[in-house]
Amino acid sequence: MSQLDLSGGKKRKRSERVFKFKTFGERGYPAEFNGSFQENVRALLDFGHVEGGAMPSWSFQLEVRRHPSSYLFLFVVEEPIELSLELHCKHCQYIGWGHHMICNKKYHFLLPSKVGSGDCKSNMIELQGEGHSMHGVFHSNGFGHLLCVNGSETRSDLAGYQIMEFWDRLCSGLGARKVSLKDMAKKKGMDLRLLHAVAYGKPWFGRWDYTFGRGSYGVNQEMYQSAIKAIQNIPLSLIAHQLGFESCQNEMQIILPRYQVVSGQSLVTLGDLFHFMLELKFRIPKESNINSHYPGIMSDASCRWSPKRVEMAIHVVVEALKRAEFRWVSRQHVRDVARAYIGDTGLLDFVLKSLGNHIVGKYFVRRCLNPVTKVLEYCLEDVSRVLPKQEAFPLIEARLKPMISWAQLMKDIFYMYRNIFREQNAMTNNGVLATIPMASRIILDSKYFTKEYCCEMAANDEANKRKICCAVMLTEEASTPYHCFALKDNAIFDDLKYDVEKTFRETYFGLRDFVAESIRNMNPKGSDLVFKTVKPGSKIDFEGKQGSIIGGIDEGLMVVDCVCGTKDDDGERMVCCDVCQVWQHSRCVQIPENEEVPNIFLCSNCEQDILCFPDSLP
């Protein structure tokens, strides 16, 4: 069942409790959260409003703002394995948890994107879609997946970081063990996992301590970290001079000095530049009336040209002054040189009149009247050389920061991203820049990230309790994760056995009839005191009888052996060989993403075997 119909629920009462969104999920609000994961979930649901429907479900009304009032609803849906469309969790398989046993229940936590601030009279909640503001799911053993986060850019009432802070509080409060996510976040067509890797050395979700979990196409953590380091250390001095298009070079020579000067410090590498640009984004007001880097010039009543034409003319004039090698030259000389590129003499005269004593990039354009010849003269001065660094940069920063609007900053970030990282751009294949396409691809192929919230020993201490970690060993290769049990000082092994059987039966589908018969490498009596035999914090492996379904993924369901080295399903598009039934990535066998998989496909090994057939015939 992929949808939950809430239309049959009871009519909401006006006196229904409202919770504060900003603190919901913290310890003590609304529940104490001092037990195991399943105990904490049950404690939370005691505060929820019971909804109708085929699956047990609850809702919580959350107050986002008081003035003006803004509310949203959190829905929690308990999905029994009997009603699940998929017995095996594909998200566990993609992140590398496919060996985990199937759990009895899943708990879906949803913030629907189209729930209004009034009564929730009729709602169809889609459990398989990704259109919610937030959708996270937990297995009953505490492992979970964040399936989607859709912030304000998708018409949500919440920003992406607000949703993530809410999710992070929930995971911490409930005592989740480990949570995965697939990072497909984009902003204005830019992949954030690449943009933030270059700027910060980690994905956007790294702000909440999510780290590399598993790569696609055979990418491992060492490859991922090496790719980030390589792309961050690309020298900026190479960027503007080795791109394939002359127009791109000109634009880069405008953008790079602009932020070099504004930063107030040396930006040496690509990582330095993107780090500064993304940090600057938080300090510039998003709503800005500035439509140019030269607001004084553009605000002149006599300016009838577009900002783009004015900026190009300024760039041409500055380049003409650079050729003079910082000597004073006449206005007519500058005008004559610039006319080779700018045919509009009116635009040139306007720029020459307005540009005097203005800062452009790291240069100061000086203008004065020659006392002897009575002719206007211009000179270009490198402010960073003339003034000491500690004096020059604060002056430049103070004058230039107001001149960069939020819109222009985003335009520059997008321009740099598009022309540096996209593989289809004609960038040189020689030298250091040749590493950019390969490193970018490795980073983009690293989509799965995880965070460990609570390990086996994370149960809360109490004065009269101690902790033991227990797992069920199914075979030599297969076992459950360890679960933590809090015991009293005088607990005996029969008590521990009872708790283990109860917990594992409630948690795992294949252990509903589990009976603990022995402990590996131990032979205690049932009446023996636990803490007389083992130390607190020890790990104990139980063995016994279990049901027929024990694994997470059926053996033989999908045999993966790709040329990239991948041996498991990683969620990428694959094609199956019609002879040996082995799966490989369509990208690795040169099938373009925009083309359908052929009806008949043979892997390279089978092709070679078939080609050898005639040699073996008489």
Side-chain angles (χ1 to χ4, degrees), residues 310-422:
V310 171
E311 186 165 355
M312 179 57 69
I314 291 173
H315 175 68
V316 170
V317 169
V318 170
E319 288 298 316
L321 289 172
K322 281 183 183 180
R323 297 177 187 177
E325 298 179 348
F326 304 103
R327 291 181 287 105
W328 286 94
V329 293
S330 68
R331 174 185 178 278
Q332 188 61 43
H333 175 80
V334 179
R335 190 173 185 268
D336 290 343
V337 174
R339 280 204 63 186
Y341 304 92
I342 304 294
D344 190 337
T345 55
L347 173 60
L348 274 178
D349 290 339
F350 170 78
V351 169
L352 286 170
K353 179 191 72 172
S354 307
L355 198 58
N357 299 323
H358 270 71
I359 288 179
V360 180
K362 65 177 182 177
Y363 301 105
F364 186 70
V365 183
R366 292 194 177 277
R367 182 185 66 179
C368 72
L369 186 69
N370 189 308
V372 177
T373 63
K374 306 300 181 182
V375 173
L376 276 175
E377 293 183 343
Y378 290 81
C379 178
L380 202 62
E381 184 175 336
D382 189 339
V383 183
S384 63
R385 294 180 181 178
V386 175
L387 295 177
K389 185 174 180 180
Q390 61 270 23
E391 296 179 11
F393 284 123
L395 171 63
I396 297 170
E397 188 175 355
R399 297 194 63 173
L400 279 185
K401 272 188 178 179
M403 297 182 186
I404 299 179
S405 68
W406 190 90
Q408 183 61 51
L409 174 63
M410 293 304 298
K411 177 182 176 183
D412 291 342
I413 292 174
F414 177 74
Y415 184 89
M416 296 289 289
Y417 178 93
R418 182 186 63 194
N419 286 281
I420 294 176
F421 300 125
R422 287 193 177 175

Side-chain angles (χ1 to χ4, degrees), residues 57-229:
S57 55
W58 298 259
S59 65
F60 299 83
Q61 188 173 4
L62 307 178
E63 180 186 65
V64 180
R65 290 186 304 272
R66 179 168 294 183
H67 301 293
S69 61
S70 176
Y71 300 90
L72 53 82
F73 289 95
L74 168 69
F75 290 94
V76 182
V77 181
E78 182 182 284
E79 180 184 4
I81 190 63
E82 294 84 359
L83 297 180
S84 179
L85 290 177
E86 297 177 339
L87 188 63
H88 306 286
C89 177
K90 61 181 181 181
H91 305 292
C92 282
Q93 175 68 10
Y94 298 158
I95 196 60
W97 303 340
H99 60 283
H100 287 190
M101 294 185 63
I102 299 169
C103 291
N104 284 321
K105 297 177 182 178
K106 297 177 185 176
Y107 296 95
H108 295 263
F109 285 74
L110 304 109
L111 292 175
S113 57
K114 296 184 179 180
V115 175
S117 59
D119 289 346
C120 182
K121 295 180 180 179
S122 178
N123 282 291
M124 293 294 293
I125 294 185
E126 176 64 53
L127 296 184
Q128 305 298 324
E130 296 184 355
H132 306 293
S133 293
M134 185 201 82
H135 183 187
V137 60
F138 294 104
H139 299 286
S140 51
N141 62 358
F143 287 81
H145 315 282
L146 179 58
L147 303 184
C148 70
V149 171
N150 294 308
S152 52
E153 287 198 349
T154 56
R155 299 182 181 179
S156 171
D157 293 333
L158 300 169
Y161 76 90
Q162 292 175 304
I163 299 173
M164 277 304 301
E165 289 173 354
F166 176 76
W167 170 254
D168 200 49
R169 287 198 304 273
L170 274 178
C171 293
S172 298
L174 293 174
R177 302 185 64 174
K178 205 168 186 178
V179 176
S180 78
L181 59 85
K182 182 180 181 181
D183 184 359
M184 299 297 290
K186 291 179 179 287
K187 192 175 185 69
K188 299 185 182 300
M190 298 181 288
D191 289 281
L192 291 188
R193 65 184 181 281
L194 175 56
L195 189 63
H196 280 255
V198 177
Y200 301 106
K202 59 185 180 181
W204 180 75
F205 292 98
R207 295 167 60 180
W208 294 274
D209 299 322
Y210 281 83
T211 58
F212 179 90
R214 193 183 195 189
S216 302
Y217 302 103
V219 174
N220 57 37
Q221 186 169 6
E222 183 178 355
M223 295 168 60
Y224 174 68
Q225 295 297 336
S226 297
I228 291 177
K229 186 178 295 186

